[in-house]
Tab-separated table of all heavy atoms in Angstrom:
chain	number	residue	atom	x	y	z
A	48	LEU	N	18.425	10.558	-2.552
A	48	LEU	CA	18.515	11.688	-1.611
A	48	LEU	C	18.432	11.226	-0.196
A	48	LEU	O	19.193	11.718	0.687
A	48	LEU	CB	17.371	12.654	-1.900
A	48	LEU	CG	17.400	13.345	-3.270
A	48	LEU	CD1	16.222	14.267	-3.440
A	48	LEU	CD2	18.752	14.179	-3.412
A	49	THR	N	17.545	10.265	0.109
A	49	THR	CA	17.366	9.849	1.513
A	49	THR	C	17.942	8.467	1.793
A	49	THR	O	18.523	8.235	2.831
A	49	THR	CB	15.865	9.856	1.864
A	49	THR	OG1	15.259	8.886	1.064
A	49	THR	CG2	15.269	11.200	1.620
A	50	GLY	N	17.805	7.560	0.816
A	50	GLY	CA	18.278	6.241	1.017
A	50	GLY	C	17.545	5.475	2.062
A	50	GLY	O	17.945	4.452	2.603
A	51	GLU	N	16.309	5.940	2.462
A	51	GLU	CA	15.554	5.258	3.476
A	51	GLU	C	14.890	3.992	2.944
A	51	GLU	O	14.573	3.920	1.770
A	51	GLU	CB	14.478	6.197	4.019
A	51	GLU	CG	15.051	7.458	4.695
A	51	GLU	CD	13.913	8.364	5.156
A	51	GLU	OE1	12.789	8.043	4.892
A	51	GLU	OE2	14.236	9.402	5.752
A	52	GLU	N	14.706	2.992	3.806
A	52	GLU	CA	14.161	1.774	3.375
A	52	GLU	C	12.742	1.893	2.843
A	52	GLU	O	12.321	1.240	1.985
A	52	GLU	CB	14.192	0.738	4.527
A	52	GLU	CG	13.638	-0.625	4.166
A	52	GLU	CD	13.686	-1.547	5.319
A	52	GLU	OE1	14.185	-1.199	6.389
A	52	GLU	OE2	13.211	-2.713	5.182
A	53	GLU	N	11.995	2.856	3.395
A	53	GLU	CA	10.611	3.092	3.035
A	53	GLU	C	10.495	3.451	1.561
A	53	GLU	O	9.533	3.153	0.936
A	53	GLU	CB	9.981	4.158	3.847
A	53	GLU	CG	9.699	3.751	5.321
A	53	GLU	CD	8.666	2.614	5.414
A	53	GLU	OE1	7.683	2.716	4.745
A	53	GLU	OE2	8.966	1.655	6.098
A	54	THR	N	11.516	4.041	0.998
A	54	THR	CA	11.455	4.452	-0.372
A	54	THR	C	11.481	3.261	-1.314
A	54	THR	O	11.184	3.454	-2.501
A	54	THR	CB	12.707	5.372	-0.769
A	54	THR	OG1	13.900	4.653	-0.506
A	54	THR	CG2	12.692	6.589	0.153
A	55	PHE	N	11.865	2.126	-0.853
A	55	PHE	CA	11.861	0.914	-1.731
A	55	PHE	C	10.435	0.549	-2.088
A	55	PHE	O	10.259	-0.271	-2.965
A	55	PHE	CB	12.556	-0.273	-1.008
A	55	PHE	CG	14.086	-0.092	-1.096
A	55	PHE	CD1	14.718	0.625	-0.128
A	55	PHE	CD2	14.772	-0.707	-2.061
A	55	PHE	CE1	16.081	0.758	-0.138
A	55	PHE	CE2	16.201	-0.593	-2.119
A	55	PHE	CZ	16.842	0.163	-1.172
A	56	ARG	N	9.436	1.115	-1.465
A	56	ARG	CA	8.083	0.878	-1.838
A	56	ARG	C	7.811	1.431	-3.267
A	56	ARG	O	6.827	1.058	-3.920
A	56	ARG	CB	7.075	1.476	-0.833
A	56	ARG	CG	7.082	0.840	0.520
A	56	ARG	CD	6.147	1.518	1.428
A	56	ARG	NE	6.167	0.838	2.747
A	56	ARG	CZ	5.527	1.284	3.863
A	56	ARG	NH1	4.703	2.326	3.745
A	56	ARG	NH2	5.518	0.710	4.988
A	57	ALA	N	8.601	2.402	-3.658
A	57	ALA	CA	8.398	2.979	-4.955
A	57	ALA	C	8.954	2.178	-6.066
A	57	ALA	O	8.861	2.590	-7.258
A	57	ALA	CB	9.044	4.389	-4.978
A	58	ILE	N	9.589	1.046	-5.825
A	58	ILE	CA	10.132	0.195	-6.823
A	58	ILE	C	9.040	-0.773	-7.331
A	58	ILE	O	8.645	-1.722	-6.648
A	58	ILE	CB	11.309	-0.628	-6.330
A	58	ILE	CG1	12.381	0.338	-5.619
A	58	ILE	CG2	11.972	-1.370	-7.448
A	58	ILE	CD1	13.519	-0.391	-5.036
A	59	PHE	N	8.468	-0.520	-8.462
A	59	PHE	CA	7.355	-1.223	-8.969
A	59	PHE	C	7.669	-2.720	-9.153
A	59	PHE	O	6.926	-3.587	-8.732
A	59	PHE	CB	6.852	-0.632	-10.285
A	59	PHE	CG	5.648	-1.376	-10.797
A	59	PHE	CD1	4.374	-1.080	-10.301
A	59	PHE	CD2	5.744	-2.303	-11.883
A	59	PHE	CE1	3.253	-1.745	-10.817
A	59	PHE	CE2	4.641	-2.919	-12.309
A	59	PHE	CZ	3.382	-2.655	-11.808
A	60	LEU	N	8.832	-3.008	-9.685
A	60	LEU	CA	9.247	-4.393	-9.999
A	60	LEU	C	10.042	-5.044	-8.886
A	60	LEU	O	10.628	-6.132	-9.075
A	60	LEU	CB	10.041	-4.429	-11.260
A	60	LEU	CG	9.328	-4.053	-12.568
A	60	LEU	CD1	10.257	-4.119	-13.750
A	60	LEU	CD2	8.104	-4.898	-12.775
A	61	SER	N	10.023	-4.500	-7.694
A	61	SER	CA	10.667	-5.109	-6.597
A	61	SER	C	9.893	-6.330	-6.120
A	61	SER	O	8.636	-6.375	-6.249
A	61	SER	CB	10.854	-4.109	-5.391
A	61	SER	OG	9.618	-3.797	-4.879
A	62	PRO	N	10.564	-7.327	-5.544
A	62	PRO	CA	9.784	-8.469	-4.966
A	62	PRO	C	8.727	-8.095	-3.971
A	62	PRO	O	7.649	-8.723	-3.933
A	62	PRO	CB	10.911	-9.338	-4.340
A	62	PRO	CG	12.136	-8.963	-5.080
A	62	PRO	CD	11.976	-7.487	-5.409
A	63	ARG	N	9.002	-7.128	-3.136
A	63	ARG	CA	8.054	-6.662	-2.188
A	63	ARG	C	6.746	-6.145	-2.828
A	63	ARG	O	5.631	-6.548	-2.459
A	63	ARG	CB	8.654	-5.589	-1.339
A	63	ARG	CG	7.677	-5.003	-0.301
A	63	ARG	CD	8.384	-3.928	0.572
A	63	ARG	NE	7.536	-3.485	1.630
A	63	ARG	CZ	7.932	-2.614	2.525
A	63	ARG	NH1	9.157	-2.192	2.598
A	63	ARG	NH2	7.095	-2.198	3.490
A	64	ASN	N	6.916	-5.328	-3.856
A	64	ASN	CA	5.730	-4.753	-4.504
A	64	ASN	C	4.997	-5.783	-5.334
A	64	ASN	O	3.799	-5.818	-5.389
A	64	ASN	CB	6.160	-3.618	-5.405
A	64	ASN	CG	4.918	-2.803	-5.889
A	64	ASN	OD1	4.241	-2.220	-5.121
A	64	ASN	ND2	4.685	-2.784	-7.187
A	65	ILE	N	5.778	-6.729	-6.004
A	65	ILE	CA	5.107	-7.764	-6.795
A	65	ILE	C	4.321	-8.704	-5.857
A	65	ILE	O	3.180	-9.077	-6.161
A	65	ILE	CB	6.173	-8.637	-7.533
A	65	ILE	CG1	6.900	-7.789	-8.548
A	65	ILE	CG2	5.503	-9.842	-8.192
A	65	ILE	CD1	5.978	-7.247	-9.648
A	66	TYR	N	4.874	-8.990	-4.688
A	66	TYR	CA	4.122	-9.771	-3.681
A	66	TYR	C	2.845	-9.101	-3.304
A	66	TYR	O	1.719	-9.705	-3.289
A	66	TYR	CB	4.982	-9.975	-2.440
A	66	TYR	CG	4.368	-10.784	-1.330
A	66	TYR	CD1	4.526	-12.199	-1.262
A	66	TYR	CD2	3.519	-10.160	-0.350
A	66	TYR	CE1	3.910	-12.913	-0.268
A	66	TYR	CE2	2.937	-10.925	0.617
A	66	TYR	CZ	3.137	-12.306	0.669
A	66	TYR	OH	2.525	-13.021	1.670
A	67	ASN	N	2.893	-7.830	-2.899
A	67	ASN	CA	1.688	-7.056	-2.568
A	67	ASN	C	0.698	-6.976	-3.717
A	67	ASN	O	-0.501	-7.016	-3.505
A	67	ASN	CB	2.098	-5.612	-2.062
A	67	ASN	CG	2.865	-5.667	-0.776
A	67	ASN	OD1	2.641	-6.565	0.058
A	67	ASN	ND2	3.756	-4.683	-0.602
A	68	LEU	N	1.244	-6.798	-4.940
A	68	LEU	CA	0.371	-6.732	-6.113
A	68	LEU	C	-0.456	-7.979	-6.319
A	68	LEU	O	-1.682	-7.923	-6.575
A	68	LEU	CB	1.222	-6.434	-7.384
A	68	LEU	CG	0.495	-6.421	-8.697
A	68	LEU	CD1	-0.614	-5.418	-8.740
A	68	LEU	CD2	1.493	-6.257	-9.784
A	69	PHE	N	0.143	-9.140	-6.172
A	69	PHE	CA	-0.557	-10.404	-6.326
A	69	PHE	C	-1.580	-10.551	-5.245
A	69	PHE	O	-2.651	-11.034	-5.510
A	69	PHE	CB	0.488	-11.588	-6.257
A	69	PHE	CG	1.054	-11.930	-7.620
A	69	PHE	CD1	2.119	-11.236	-8.109
A	69	PHE	CD2	0.557	-12.941	-8.391
A	69	PHE	CE1	2.699	-11.518	-9.318
A	69	PHE	CE2	1.087	-13.287	-9.617
A	69	PHE	CZ	2.138	-12.531	-10.067
Side-chain angles (χ1 to χ4, degrees):
L48 295 177
T49 63
E51 297 177 359
E52 184 180 355
E53 289 296 314
T54 61
F55 283 85
R56 292 181 181 176
I58 307 175
F59 181 80
L60 295 179
S61 67
R63 177 179 184 174
N64 191 63
I65 296 298
Y66 179 93
N67 291 331
L68 173 60
F69 274 82

